Amino acid sequence: MDFPTTLAASKYSAQHAAAREIALKAGDVIRNSRDRAQAKVKSGVDLVTEVDQEVERIVAQHIRAKFPSDLIIGEEDQTENASGAQGDRIPDGNAWCIDPIDGTTNFVHNYPFFCVSIGFCVDGVPKVGVVYVPSSDSLYEAIDGCGAYLNGTKLSVDSASDISDSLLVNNIGHHRENDFVDESAERIRKWLKAGLRGYRSSGSAAINMAHVASGIVSCYYEHGFGGPWDVSAGLVLVQEAGGVAKSASDGSTFILSFGRGSICTGNEKVVDDVIRVAGKPKVDFA
């Protein structure tokens, strides 16, 4: 597909153009690599494939060629060469948060909810977000102050007013500690008993946030997402589509940081109601 360029000119246009180009190239690699989706275990049920690693190298090489002084924070590289500890803020200056395949388990099982996610940050604040879903040829893109778009069509979040008219997407992730599993199950029970219209779990944080920006789902909640690469691009999409992002732990404004995170996104009314019903998580990742 030829994707129209609809975003207005911005001081971040060069970064947006690079992220867009790189995401589409990476998507082609993923689409043509189904025969190399054999997985290795990183930890527990968390998987990685050689395609993840190859795509991250490709993306990082393109970014370094265009922006050699920028920091790159990639999911697979951070496993062995972490740039920050749990809870540390993203460093000042220019930084790229990249997830070569967000939804690796889905990719391994040929379940079509996986994507390339590229976020560009300035002083720890995401300014450009590009999410490309190869299976549906869907390009989500946003620049701070310029709106959010899907294949050239402007996006806006859902107008649901509370949990009772909301379609909620919630990833459980790869954590299997007993207290985490018990708390996650209890949280779902609370939402359902409060009259939640519908519950989904896709396995990709970036796609969840793209769907929130599109108004396809009302809210995305996750306590325990893997790292800043999961949500940096999606944050720009959601905010530019008129939504908010808050900490699912306490309802405060979400701040991007290293380590496992806690997030809730959507329009503000729905986000506040979903967090209220869920209650404060007891499991702490600090």
Side-chain angles (χ1 to χ4, degrees):
M1 179 185 294
D2 291 326
F3 298 99
T5 304
T6 50
L7 276 74
S10 160
K11 62 181 177 180
Y12 305 119
S13 291
Q15 288 84 359
H16 166 252
R20 190 181 208 258
E21 176 187 5
I22 297 164
L24 292 172
K25 288 181 178 178
D28 285 340
V29 174
I30 295 168
R31 195 164 27 234
N32 294 324
S33 300
R34 278 296 314 146
D35 60 335
R36 293 190 292 125
Q38 295 83 9
K40 296 183 292 184
V41 175
K42 285 198 289 188
S43 64
V45 295
D46 191 17
L47 305 179
V48 64
T49 71
E50 66 176 65
V51 185
D52 292 81
Q53 296 166 331
E54 178 184 345
V55 170
E56 184 165 309
R57 285 193 296 269
I58 292 169
V59 172
Q61 287 169 1
H62 277 76
I63 292 173
R64 289 193 182 101
K66 294 176 181 290
F67 307 100
S69 62
D70 290 3
L71 174 67
I72 298 175
I73 302 168
E75 178 179 15
E76 307 313 330
D77 177 65
Q78 290 296 303
T79 301
E80 298 182 0
N81 302 294
S83 298
Q86 174 69 40
D88 287 351
R89 297 280 296 271
I90 304 302
D92 287 345
N94 294 349
W96 297 78
C97 295
I98 58 177
D99 196 338
I101 303 180
D102 185 43
T104 298
T105 300
N106 292 344
F107 176 64
V108 169
H109 288 269
N110 204 25
Y111 185 63
F113 286 86
F114 51 86
C115 66
V116 183
S117 178
I118 302 175
F120 170 73
C121 305
V122 178
D123 296 335
V125 179
K127 298 294 184 180
V128 173
V130 173
V131 172
Y132 179 58
V133 185
S135 60
S136 60
D137 211 16
S138 299
L139 179 67
Y140 299 87
E141 51 189 338
I143 302 175
D144 181 38
C146 298
Y149 293 81
L150 165 59
N151 295 353
T153 300
K154 193 168 186 180
L155 303 178
S156 61
V157 297
D158 185 35
S159 61
S161 59
D162 59 33
I163 198 168
S164 67
D165 59 351
S166 297
L167 180 60
L168 171 68
V169 62
N170 161 232
N171 288 353
I172 303 300
H174 59 267
H175 315 299
R176 296 295 182 268
E177 302 90 344
N178 287 340
D179 55 350
F180 180 84
V181 171
D182 290 345
E183 183 174 81
S184 298
E186 173 63 16
R187 187 180 297 123
I188 297 169
R189 187 190 69 83
K190 287 180 179 179
W191 286 327
L192 295 176
K193 290 188 72 174
L196 177 66
R197 175 179 287 174
Y199 175 91
R200 302 292 183 268
S201 183
S202 77
S204 167
I207 292 179
N208 290 344
M209 296 177 81
H211 285 175
V212 168
S214 303
I216 293 174
V217 297
S218 311
C219 183
Y220 160 55
Y221 179 111
E222 185 167 0
H223 182 60
F225 68 82
W229 44 81
D230 286 331
V231 299
S232 60
L235 283 168
V236 191
L237 292 170
V238 169
Q239 291 166 348
E240 287 301 308
V244 301
K246 297 189 177 185
S247 166
S249 292
D250 60 13
S252 61
T253 299
F254 179 83
I255 298 174
L256 194 66
S257 62
F258 287 96
R260 297 187 188 183
S262 186
I263 193 168
C264 189
T265 67
N267 77 56
E268 190 160 24
K269 288 183 179 179
V270 167
V271 165
D272 289 345
D273 204 34
V274 166
I275 293 174
R276 176 189 64 80
V277 173
K280 183 177 178 61
K282 294 178 182 178
V283 175
D284 187 0
F285 302 118

PDB file of all heavy atoms in Angstrom, residues 19-40:
ATOM      1  N   ALA A  19      11.214   7.345  11.136  1.00  0.00           N
ATOM      2  CA  ALA A  19      10.490   6.272  11.831  1.00  0.00           C
ATOM      3  C   ALA A  19       9.518   5.577  10.893  1.00  0.00           C
ATOM      4  O   ALA A  19       9.388   4.341  10.910  1.00  0.00           O
ATOM      5  CB  ALA A  19       9.753   6.849  13.033  1.00  0.00           C
ATOM      6  N   ARG A  20       8.850   6.352  10.093  1.00  0.00           N
ATOM      7  CA  ARG A  20       7.886   5.810   9.123  1.00  0.00           C
ATOM      8  C   ARG A  20       8.571   4.887   8.123  1.00  0.00           C
ATOM      9  O   ARG A  20       8.140   3.756   7.882  1.00  0.00           O
ATOM     10  CB  ARG A  20       7.236   7.005   8.426  1.00  0.00           C
ATOM     11  CG  ARG A  20       6.050   6.716   7.551  1.00  0.00           C
ATOM     12  CD  ARG A  20       5.616   8.057   6.958  1.00  0.00           C
ATOM     13  NE  ARG A  20       4.219   8.097   6.646  1.00  0.00           N
ATOM     14  CZ  ARG A  20       3.722   7.956   5.418  1.00  0.00           C
ATOM     15  NH1 ARG A  20       4.531   7.711   4.415  1.00  0.00           N
ATOM     16  NH2 ARG A  20       2.427   8.014   5.221  1.00  0.00           N
ATOM     17  N   GLU A  21       9.661   5.382   7.539  1.00  0.00           N
ATOM     18  CA  GLU A  21      10.400   4.598   6.548  1.00  0.00           C
ATOM     19  C   GLU A  21      10.938   3.302   7.155  1.00  0.00           C
ATOM     20  O   GLU A  21      10.820   2.217   6.570  1.00  0.00           O
ATOM     21  CB  GLU A  21      11.564   5.441   6.005  1.00  0.00           C
ATOM     22  CG  GLU A  21      12.465   4.704   5.028  1.00  0.00           C
ATOM     23  CD  GLU A  21      13.699   5.505   4.644  1.00  0.00           C
ATOM     24  OE1 GLU A  21      13.917   6.601   5.207  1.00  0.00           O
ATOM     25  OE2 GLU A  21      14.467   5.016   3.800  1.00  0.00           O
ATOM     26  N   ILE A  22      11.514   3.426   8.355  1.00  0.00           N
ATOM     27  CA  ILE A  22      12.120   2.263   9.000  1.00  0.00           C
ATOM     28  C   ILE A  22      11.061   1.244   9.398  1.00  0.00           C
ATOM     29  O   ILE A  22      11.247   0.035   9.234  1.00  0.00           O
ATOM     30  CB  ILE A  22      12.927   2.715  10.235  1.00  0.00           C
ATOM     31  CG1 ILE A  22      14.087   3.620   9.802  1.00  0.00           C
ATOM     32  CG2 ILE A  22      13.453   1.515  10.998  1.00  0.00           C
ATOM     33  CD1 ILE A  22      14.695   4.404  10.948  1.00  0.00           C
ATOM     34  N   ALA A  23       9.929   1.709   9.925  1.00  0.00           N
ATOM     35  CA  ALA A  23       8.866   0.793  10.349  1.00  0.00           C
ATOM     36  C   ALA A  23       8.334  -0.013   9.165  1.00  0.00           C
ATOM     37  O   ALA A  23       8.078  -1.219   9.290  1.00  0.00           O
ATOM     38  CB  ALA A  23       7.735   1.575  11.011  1.00  0.00           C
ATOM     39  N   LEU A  24       8.170   0.629   8.032  1.00  0.00           N
ATOM     40  CA  LEU A  24       7.661  -0.076   6.849  1.00  0.00           C
ATOM     41  C   LEU A  24       8.675  -1.104   6.342  1.00  0.00           C
ATOM     42  O   LEU A  24       8.307  -2.225   5.967  1.00  0.00           O
ATOM     43  CB  LEU A  24       7.311   0.925   5.746  1.00  0.00           C
ATOM     44  CG  LEU A  24       6.103   1.828   6.041  1.00  0.00           C
ATOM     45  CD1 LEU A  24       5.959   2.906   4.967  1.00  0.00           C
ATOM     46  CD2 LEU A  24       4.820   1.013   6.137  1.00  0.00           C
ATOM     47  N   LYS A  25       9.956  -0.738   6.367  1.00  0.00           N
ATOM     48  CA  LYS A  25      10.985  -1.701   5.948  1.00  0.00           C
ATOM     49  C   LYS A  25      11.046  -2.878   6.908  1.00  0.00           C
ATOM     50  O   LYS A  25      11.151  -4.042   6.495  1.00  0.00           O
ATOM     51  CB  LYS A  25      12.350  -1.005   5.875  1.00  0.00           C
ATOM     52  CG  LYS A  25      12.491  -0.053   4.703  1.00  0.00           C
ATOM     53  CD  LYS A  25      13.874   0.591   4.672  1.00  0.00           C
ATOM     54  CE  LYS A  25      14.025   1.503   3.459  1.00  0.00           C
ATOM     55  NZ  LYS A  25      15.357   2.168   3.431  1.00  0.00           N
ATOM     56  N   ALA A  26      10.970  -2.589   8.190  1.00  0.00           N
ATOM     57  CA  ALA A  26      10.981  -3.657   9.186  1.00  0.00           C
ATOM     58  C   ALA A  26       9.764  -4.555   9.029  1.00  0.00           C
ATOM     59  O   ALA A  26       9.853  -5.781   9.181  1.00  0.00           O
ATOM     60  CB  ALA A  26      11.015  -3.053  10.589  1.00  0.00           C
ATOM     61  N   GLY A  27       8.622  -3.949   8.722  1.00  0.00           N
ATOM     62  CA  GLY A  27       7.409  -4.729   8.507  1.00  0.00           C
ATOM     63  C   GLY A  27       7.548  -5.709   7.359  1.00  0.00           C
ATOM     64  O   GLY A  27       7.042  -6.844   7.425  1.00  0.00           O
ATOM     65  N   ASP A  28       8.245  -5.292   6.297  1.00  0.00           N
ATOM     66  CA  ASP A  28       8.474  -6.195   5.169  1.00  0.00           C
ATOM     67  C   ASP A  28       9.308  -7.403   5.592  1.00  0.00           C
ATOM     68  O   ASP A  28       9.039  -8.544   5.186  1.00  0.00           O
ATOM     69  CB  ASP A  28       9.191  -5.451   4.037  1.00  0.00           C
ATOM     70  CG  ASP A  28       8.270  -4.521   3.273  1.00  0.00           C
ATOM     71  OD1 ASP A  28       7.037  -4.705   3.347  1.00  0.00           O
ATOM     72  OD2 ASP A  28       8.785  -3.597   2.607  1.00  0.00           O
ATOM     73  N   VAL A  29      10.323  -7.150   6.427  1.00  0.00           N
ATOM     74  CA  VAL A  29      11.156  -8.248   6.909  1.00  0.00           C
ATOM     75  C   VAL A  29      10.318  -9.230   7.730  1.00  0.00           C
ATOM     76  O   VAL A  29      10.394 -10.450   7.549  1.00  0.00           O
ATOM     77  CB  VAL A  29      12.329  -7.718   7.759  1.00  0.00           C
ATOM     78  CG1 VAL A  29      13.101  -8.871   8.392  1.00  0.00           C
ATOM     79  CG2 VAL A  29      13.255  -6.854   6.912  1.00  0.00           C
ATOM     80  N   ILE A  30       9.496  -8.697   8.615  1.00  0.00           N
ATOM     81  CA  ILE A  30       8.656  -9.552   9.457  1.00  0.00           C
ATOM     82  C   ILE A  30       7.682 -10.367   8.613  1.00  0.00           C
ATOM     83  O   ILE A  30       7.514 -11.572   8.815  1.00  0.00           O
ATOM     84  CB  ILE A  30       7.891  -8.692  10.480  1.00  0.00           C
ATOM     85  CG1 ILE A  30       8.862  -8.033  11.450  1.00  0.00           C
ATOM     86  CG2 ILE A  30       6.859  -9.528  11.234  1.00  0.00           C
ATOM     87  CD1 ILE A  30       8.239  -6.959  12.307  1.00  0.00           C
ATOM     88  N   ARG A  31       7.053  -9.699   7.651  1.00  0.00           N
ATOM     89  CA  ARG A  31       6.048 -10.362   6.820  1.00  0.00           C
ATOM     90  C   ARG A  31       6.660 -11.516   6.028  1.00  0.00           C
ATOM     91  O   ARG A  31       5.989 -12.519   5.757  1.00  0.00           O
ATOM     92  CB  ARG A  31       5.427  -9.328   5.877  1.00  0.00           C
ATOM     93  CG  ARG A  31       4.148  -9.776   5.218  1.00  0.00           C
ATOM     94  CD  ARG A  31       3.363  -8.629   4.608  1.00  0.00           C
ATOM     95  NE  ARG A  31       4.186  -7.521   4.215  1.00  0.00           N
ATOM     96  CZ  ARG A  31       4.002  -6.245   4.615  1.00  0.00           C
ATOM     97  NH1 ARG A  31       3.015  -5.943   5.418  1.00  0.00           N
ATOM     98  NH2 ARG A  31       4.780  -5.283   4.199  1.00  0.00           N
ATOM     99  N   ASN A  32       7.937 -11.380   5.669  1.00  0.00           N
ATOM    100  CA  ASN A  32       8.594 -12.396   4.861  1.00  0.00           C
ATOM    101  C   ASN A  32       9.402 -13.388   5.699  1.00  0.00           C
ATOM    102  O   ASN A  32      10.212 -14.150   5.156  1.00  0.00           O
ATOM    103  CB  ASN A  32       9.526 -11.725   3.848  1.00  0.00           C
ATOM    104  CG  ASN A  32       8.754 -10.906   2.831  1.00  0.00           C
ATOM    105  OD1 ASN A  32       7.666 -11.286   2.420  1.00  0.00           O
ATOM    106  ND2 ASN A  32       9.301  -9.765   2.452  1.00  0.00           N
ATOM    107  N   SER A  33       9.171 -13.395   7.013  1.00  0.00           N
ATOM    108  CA  SER A  33       9.998 -14.221   7.897  1.00  0.00           C
ATOM    109  C   SER A  33       9.192 -15.210   8.714  1.00  0.00           C
ATOM    110  O   SER A  33       9.647 -15.672   9.768  1.00  0.00           O
ATOM    111  CB  SER A  33      10.796 -13.315   8.850  1.00  0.00           C
ATOM    112  OG  SER A  33      11.644 -12.449   8.143  1.00  0.00           O
ATOM    113  N   ARG A  34       8.015 -15.549   8.278  1.00  0.00           N
ATOM    114  CA  ARG A  34       7.187 -16.472   9.046  1.00  0.00           C
ATOM    115  C   ARG A  34       7.879 -17.821   9.255  1.00  0.00           C
ATOM    116  O   ARG A  34       7.680 -18.485  10.265  1.00  0.00           O
ATOM    117  CB  ARG A  34       5.849 -16.694   8.331  1.00  0.00           C
ATOM    118  CG  ARG A  34       4.818 -15.613   8.572  1.00  0.00           C
ATOM    119  CD  ARG A  34       4.390 -15.533  10.018  1.00  0.00           C
ATOM    120  NE  ARG A  34       4.103 -16.850  10.567  1.00  0.00           N
ATOM    121  CZ  ARG A  34       4.330 -17.190  11.828  1.00  0.00           C
ATOM    122  NH1 ARG A  34       4.865 -16.337  12.663  1.00  0.00           N
ATOM    123  NH2 ARG A  34       4.021 -18.407  12.246  1.00  0.00           N
ATOM    124  N   ASP A  35       8.748 -18.208   8.335  1.00  0.00           N
ATOM    125  CA  ASP A  35       9.420 -19.500   8.465  1.00  0.00           C
ATOM    126  C   ASP A  35      10.551 -19.453   9.488  1.00  0.00           C
ATOM    127  O   ASP A  35      11.171 -20.480   9.781  1.00  0.00           O
ATOM    128  CB  ASP A  35       9.962 -19.952   7.107  1.00  0.00           C
ATOM    129  CG  ASP A  35      10.975 -18.987   6.508  1.00  0.00           C
ATOM    130  OD1 ASP A  35      10.924 -17.788   6.865  1.00  0.00           O
ATOM    131  OD2 ASP A  35      11.803 -19.418   5.692  1.00  0.00           O
ATOM    132  N   ARG A  36      10.829 -18.265  10.027  1.00  0.00           N
ATOM    133  CA  ARG A  36      11.895 -18.127  11.025  1.00  0.00           C
ATOM    134  C   ARG A  36      11.327 -17.663  12.365  1.00  0.00           C
ATOM    135  O   ARG A  36      11.973 -16.941  13.111  1.00  0.00           O
ATOM    136  CB  ARG A  36      12.962 -17.154  10.526  1.00  0.00           C
ATOM    137  CG  ARG A  36      13.721 -17.676   9.319  1.00  0.00           C
ATOM    138  CD  ARG A  36      14.920 -16.827   8.986  1.00  0.00           C
ATOM    139  NE  ARG A  36      14.540 -15.507   8.496  1.00  0.00           N
ATOM    140  CZ  ARG A  36      14.971 -14.356   9.023  1.00  0.00           C
ATOM    141  NH1 ARG A  36      15.763 -14.369  10.074  1.00  0.00           N
ATOM    142  NH2 ARG A  36      14.610 -13.214   8.508  1.00  0.00           N
ATOM    143  N   ALA A  37      10.110 -18.072  12.662  1.00  0.00           N
ATOM    144  CA  ALA A  37       9.440 -17.630  13.885  1.00  0.00           C
ATOM    145  C   ALA A  37       9.671 -18.570  15.060  1.00  0.00           C
ATOM    146  O   ALA A  37       8.970 -18.509  16.059  1.00  0.00           O
ATOM    147  CB  ALA A  37       7.940 -17.489  13.627  1.00  0.00           C
ATOM    148  N   GLN A  38      10.691 -19.451  14.955  1.00  0.00           N
ATOM    149  CA  GLN A  38      10.990 -20.334  16.075  1.00  0.00           C
ATOM    150  C   GLN A  38      11.458 -19.495  17.265  1.00  0.00           C
ATOM    151  O   GLN A  38      12.277 -18.590  17.114  1.00  0.00           O
ATOM    152  CB  GLN A  38      12.063 -21.350  15.695  1.00  0.00           C
ATOM    153  CG  GLN A  38      11.628 -22.332  14.615  1.00  0.00           C
ATOM    154  CD  GLN A  38      11.779 -21.760  13.215  1.00  0.00           C
ATOM    155  OE1 GLN A  38      12.356 -20.699  13.037  1.00  0.00           O
ATOM    156  NE2 GLN A  38      11.266 -22.469  12.228  1.00  0.00           N
ATOM    157  N   ALA A  39      10.958 -19.843  18.433  1.00  0.00           N
ATOM    158  CA  ALA A  39      11.187 -18.998  19.600  1.00  0.00           C
ATOM    159  C   ALA A  39      12.211 -19.581  20.550  1.00  0.00           C
ATOM    160  O   ALA A  39      12.368 -20.800  20.670  1.00  0.00           O
ATOM    161  CB  ALA A  39       9.882 -18.776  20.348  1.00  0.00           C
ATOM    162  N   LYS A  40      12.909 -18.664  21.240  1.00  0.00           N
ATOM    163  CA  LYS A  40      13.725 -19.002  22.398  1.00  0.00           C
ATOM    164  C   LYS A  40      13.079 -18.338  23.610  1.00  0.00           C
ATOM    165  O   LYS A  40      12.421 -17.304  23.487  1.00  0.00           O
ATOM    166  CB  LYS A  40      15.154 -18.482  22.224  1.00  0.00           C
ATOM    167  CG  LYS A  40      15.911 -19.109  21.070  1.00  0.00           C
ATOM    168  CD  LYS A  40      17.342 -18.594  21.017  1.00  0.00           C
ATOM    169  CE  LYS A  40      17.397 -17.125  20.653  1.00  0.00           C
ATOM    170  NZ  LYS A  40      18.783 -16.633  20.517  1.00  0.00           N
TER     171      LYS A  40
END
